[in-house]
Amino acid sequence: MIKPLKIEDVLLAPENHNTWQLDAINKWTVKMTDRESKFPCIPAVQGYAFNHLRYGFVQQAEDFAAEEQLAALLQNYGEQSRVLGHYTSLVVFIHSNAEPYRKDGVEYYERLFWSLLSRTTAMDRKPWPAHLPDDPSDHLWEYCYDGEPYFVYCGTPAHKLRRSRSFPYMVLAFTPRWVLEKFNSAPLQAEKTKQMIRRRLYAYDPVPPHPDLKMYGAEDNYEWRQYFLRDSGNSLSSCPFMRMYPNYESKT
């Protein structure tokens, strides 16, 4: 069974991990701890500092086994996430085939991202939560696994202008909705932090914040649009996510 790891599980046992996995963890550490060029998402930086984050690896995103690996990580993480801290997220580093992305750039990873989320849903044994729409065209839709709603962040090696979405490996961060609700439960502090995040985003990225970055619950906001942001200010006209039929034969 693939289980989420603490960062020390990786750093203190390098012999148990591939070279690319160690490199991903080291580069993530640099990104989260850079004091001169501060990563815009303050809760993510706090999650790293407080050791609330958990980590996982998917060996090859294009391979059919990738969804089983990601499903196992989400299953295990969801079962323990509520005791990991108020800034917890599951950070998943993913190996992918570099050749196609050299041709298609960011859009290659965009297709790969939505394909992987859709394929992973086929591993889910629980029904979609009754209180959430299962149609991404509804402004309250968000990705769910094992009954847990998540905000999903994707970063890729193909992003150049949007540095906040750039990373040497494809990386997904799954933040449970309850974490975001906890964050917003103190409105004055939450608003102050959001303003700081926006200022840091302007300083971090050489392009303006993407127009799809809006508030959860607003009628003109669609969470799926924020999961994967292109370098440009444009986006897909409709969500590519497909909720596939559960594969009950999965070993996850």
Side-chain angles (χ1 to χ4, degrees), residues 5 18-19 57 67 75 81 104 127 140 145-146 155 165 176 203-204 227:
L5 304 169
N18 297 334
T19 301
F57 303 97
E67 59 263 35
Q75 179 78 33
S81 68
D104 296 336
L140 292 178
Y145 193 88
D146 196 40
R165 296 293 177 126
Y204 199 80
Y227 292 178

Side-chain angles (χ1 to χ4, degrees), residues 54-225:
R54 293 298 180 268
Y55 302 91
F57 303 97
V58 170
Q59 290 293 341
Q60 188 71 32
E62 294 86 353
D63 191 82
F64 69 91
E67 59 263 35
E68 294 193 358
Q69 295 168 14
L70 181 56
L73 287 167
L74 283 168
Q75 179 78 33
N76 279 275
Y77 174 75
E79 292 171 355
Q80 61 176 292
S81 68
R82 293 178 186 272
V83 300
L84 298 178
H86 294 159
Y87 297 101
T88 187
S89 292
L90 173 65
V91 180
V92 182
F93 303 107
I94 304 175
H95 231 187
S96 59
N97 188 344
E99 198 60 39
Y101 117 68
R102 293 193 183 101
K103 175 184 176 183
D104 296 336
V106 171
E107 293 184 15
Y108 169 75
Y109 281 105
E110 184 177 51
R111 294 191 297 270
L112 187 58
F113 169 74
W114 287 111
S115 170
L116 183 55
L117 282 193
S118 298
R119 285 150 44 202
T120 301
T121 302
M123 305 289 109
D124 195 352
R125 292 176 172 82
K126 283 190 179 179
W128 204 262
H131 68 286
L132 287 176
D134 61 2
D135 182 357
S137 66
D138 190 302
H139 73 285
L140 292 178
W141 179 89
E142 53 189 331
Y143 184 75
C144 300
Y145 193 88
D146 196 40
E148 189 75 65
Y150 292 99
F151 179 86
V152 189
Y153 159 100
C154 182
T156 80
H159 283 85
K160 303 302 180 186
L161 297 177
R162 210 167 293 283
R163 288 183 59 227
S164 55
R165 296 293 177 126
S166 177
F167 195 71
Y169 302 90
M170 188 177 184
V171 56
L172 307 185
F174 295 84
T175 303
R177 174 53 52 186
W178 68 262
V179 169
L180 302 174
E181 290 173 348
K182 181 71 176 178
F183 171 78
N184 286 312
S185 64
L188 292 178
Q189 182 61 40
E191 182 58 31
K192 181 180 179 181
T193 302
K194 289 173 185 176
Q195 292 175 8
M196 291 174 62
I197 291 172
R198 183 59 62 124
R199 288 196 297 268
R200 283 167 63 153
L201 189 59
Y202 271 105
Y204 199 80
D205 288 352
V207 292
H210 199 286
D212 286 335
L213 291 176
K214 300 177 181 179
M215 298 298 295
Y216 176 73
E219 291 190 4
D220 65 342
N221 174 66
Y222 295 88
E223 289 291 277
W224 68 266
R225 291 185 180 277

